Structure formats: structure tokens, C-alpha cells
Amino acid sequence: MKQGTTILTLDNGYHLWTHTEGKGNIQLLCLHGGPGGNHEYYENFAEKLADLGVQVSMYDQLGSWYSDQPDFTRQENIDKFLNMDYFIDEVEEVRQKLGLDNFYLIGQSWGGILTQEYALKYPEHLKGIIISSMTDNIDEYVENINAIREKEFSDDELEFMKKCEAENDYANTRYQKLIDALNRGYVDRKQPPAISHLTDTMATPVYNYFQGDNEFVVTGKMKGWDRRQDIHKIDVPTLITYGEHETMPLATAKRMASVIPHARLETTPNGGHHHMIDNAPVYFAHLKKFLQDVENNTFAE
């Protein structure tokens, strides 16, 4: 497979930024979170997995920073692209255009939703999947982030946050400081300078449409997503990996690992939602062991 950066032209005429690094027979395709985030926390995966012979491919989804960004003020673009089916089929088109088959798919957060959905729709192309920091339903996620807020803040602070949210006053300075505190504790605990920018790289229209204003509210179209009744149909080796101090409920991860037929759960101490950065040595040790076990036919849940 071609190394480096390739701009893919989709059948719909838009373009996606893709990048491939690493040499070997193991193929790994990476799906970023958000929705509307980008690939950047995958940039060192090829280096970290080099001794296993892993070829790592990543891309920015439509609307995200390095890829084309449709005009989402137009309802026709919202209807056509801002839905789950579009992004699932985008994964399949990227797979085809990159020439991947019998490959591993890893998804972080929103990417973990797409990984589950892809495994249910296109299982024949997969060798294994990694669900990183994602539940199989949104309701339990919302319960957990509400519990986090109640644990971290006083009654006055909680009342203030709820008032801002009811009034759509998300730009309020005090509100943003409270959200920043939650992000430091549960999302980006290490606050890495390497992936910081001088401008915001989040595809805000995409993120707001699906999620809402921030990681601790769900007011968008992702609300109500639920695959609890279906994940038992995922029949490929599955690694579920969570930070031990993150936004997603660990109890859900344990249940998922018991329901998916061939699943293993690993947790990362002192890791938040981006635990591949917060505690990279532990995260990559778990990922490498999973890939080795599947490749050597020694994988056991």
C-alpha cells in the first residue's frame, strides 16, 4: 500500500485526507472521534506498533479538519451527510479505496460507534475490532456524565450549569471554566501540547449536530443511539479499552465484554477519554497483546 498522505476522491465528489505509515502484513484502519474531530491522536500508532509489522491507515471523516467540509448551512448537505448511515458507508468506501481486507478496525469515542456499526454491517472484511472509550448506547453515557458532574461540583455550580444549558448559554465564561475542569479530569488528563493548535480544529457543525456543545451534554442526533440488543451479533475478536478515569461508564464496558462473543476488556490506569495519550505505555501494551494474540490464534476472552 502507498505510504504517506493520499487524498481520496469519494464517489460523491468530495475529498478525504488519508495517511498510511508502517510496513507489515497487519492492517489497521483508525476512526477518530468527535464527531468532527480528526486523526491526530493516531499519528504515533505506526511507530508504537512497528515491531509487530502493522500498517496503520488513518483519515479525517467528511467535514473534519483536513478533509472536505461541505456547507452545512444547506439542508440538503445536512440530510445527505449528517447521519449514521453515511459515516458507516464512508468507512467501507475508504476501505475499498485503500485496498484493505481482513483488517483491524479501531474506533475512538464516536469512532467506536462507527466501529460497532461497521462490524454489524460489513463483518466479512474484518479480522478484529478495537472499541476504544465507547459504550453500546448513549443513555448510559449520559447517566455517567451526569454522575461525574454531581460528584465534581457543588449544588450551586450544578444549578448554574443546568441554567446555562436550558438557556443555550454555552459560551458563558463561568460555564466554560467548569467544562474545562471536567475536560482536564476526564477527557484530556495529560493535556498534551503536541496536538494543540493555534486555532480550533474541531468541525463544530458536525460535532454540534450529533453531540451538542461539549462532552458533558448530549443534545444532538446521537441522543438515543442504542445497540444493546445487537452487539451479541459481533462475531470477530474484539478489544474493548477504557481509561479508568474517563467519561464512559466502566460498568457498561464490562457488560459489553460479557455480551460480545469474543471480547476482552482492558483498562488504562490514570487514563481519561484519550487514554492512548494519558498513559501510552499501558494502552499500547494492551493493544499489542490483542493484535499478537489474534495473529497467533491464541486470543481468548
Side-chain angles (χ1 to χ4, degrees):
M1 184 187 298
K2 179 180 178 293
Q3 297 283 299
T5 297
T6 299
I7 305 300
L8 297 184
T9 301
L10 299 175
D11 293 346
N12 60 34
Y14 284 104
H15 302 87
L16 298 186
W17 180 96
T18 76
H19 190 82
T20 297
E21 287 188 16
K23 296 180 180 179
N25 295 323
I26 302 173
Q27 297 176 322
L28 177 67
L29 179 62
C30 306
L31 304 180
H32 64 70
N38 65 46
H39 70 281
E40 290 177 335
Y41 42 68
Y42 291 122
E43 288 180 342
N44 66 341
F45 271 50
E47 174 191 350
K48 296 291 187 182
L49 302 174
D51 57 333
L52 296 187
V54 182
Q55 196 169 61
V56 179
S57 296
M58 63 201 80
Y59 72 98
D60 281 4
Q61 296 156 24
L62 188 68
S64 291
W65 185 245
Y66 292 100
S67 292
D68 277 354
Q69 298 165 24
D71 180 1
F72 289 123
T73 65
R74 298 174 60 184
Q75 189 63 44
E76 61 188 274
N77 287 336
I78 292 174
D79 295 342
K80 186 173 182 179
F81 300 118
L82 295 188
N83 60 79
M84 192 79 71
D85 288 340
Y86 167 75
F87 284 102
I88 300 164
D89 290 339
E90 182 183 83
V91 178
E92 172 60 8
E93 188 171 354
V94 169
R95 179 201 72 80
Q96 293 177 19
K97 286 181 162 53
L98 290 179
L100 301 173
D101 207 2
N102 198 31
F103 73 107
Y104 295 90
L105 184 65
I106 182 171
Q108 158 71 16
S109 194
W110 155 256
I113 289 181
L114 297 180
T115 296
Q116 293 173 68
E117 293 285 355
Y118 185 90
L120 291 167
K121 187 171 183 178
Y122 298 105
E124 65 272 19
H125 301 297
L126 291 168
K127 196 167 190 178
I129 63 172
I130 302 96
I131 303 167
S132 187
S133 292
M134 192 61 225
T135 66
D136 58 358
N137 74 97
I138 294 299
D139 288 349
E140 290 178 351
Y141 165 58
V142 171
E143 289 174 10
N144 197 59
I145 55 178
N146 286 337
I148 288 171
R149 285 159 46 132
E150 291 172 2
K151 173 187 173 184
E152 296 293 336
F153 297 135
S154 67
D155 290 344
D156 176 68
E157 288 168 326
L158 284 170
E159 185 176 345
F160 174 77
M161 292 184 79
K162 291 175 182 177
K163 181 175 182 293
C164 287
E165 290 158 4
E167 297 174 355
N168 202 32
D169 187 19
Y170 292 103
N172 183 285
T173 301
R174 182 186 175 195
Y175 179 85
Q176 283 301 317
K177 286 182 179 179
L178 294 172
I179 292 298
D180 288 345
L182 292 174
N183 285 332
R184 287 192 299 270
Y186 294 89
V187 181
D188 290 307
R189 290 174 61 80
K190 197 171 181 180
Q191 296 285 293
I195 61 171
S196 62
H197 290 263
L198 297 177
T199 187
D200 185 5
T201 61
M202 176 62 72
T204 304
V206 181
Y207 183 82
N208 291 164
Y209 186 84
F210 281 102
Q211 170 88 17
D213 180 80
N214 61 72
E215 291 292 282
F216 295 88
V217 294
V218 180
T219 56
K221 291 296 182 180
M222 210 158 55
K223 189 174 184 178
W225 177 80
D226 193 338
R227 279 296 201 173
R228 277 175 284 192
Q229 302 305 313
D230 301 305
I231 61 168
H232 70 277
K233 301 173 186 175
I234 296 176
D235 199 34
V236 297
T238 300
L239 173 64
I240 302 168
T241 174
Y242 268 48
E244 291 184 359
H245 200 75
E246 71 150 280
T247 56
M248 299 289 168
L250 186 57
T252 295
K254 292 177 179 178
R255 176 183 51 72
M256 291 170 66
S258 70
V259 172
I260 297 173
H262 310 291
R264 171 190 297 171
L265 171 64
E266 300 282 13
T267 63
T268 302
N270 201 34
H273 195 50
H274 294 146
H275 52 294
M276 73 280 286
I277 293 173
D278 294 329
N279 193 343
V282 172
Y283 179 91
F284 283 104
H286 291 157
L287 178 56
K288 290 172 74 170
K289 186 176 189 306
F290 170 74
L291 294 173
Q292 285 176 313
D293 287 347
V294 178
E295 290 296 309
N296 295 332
N297 294 314
T298 57
F299 177 77
E301 310 81 73

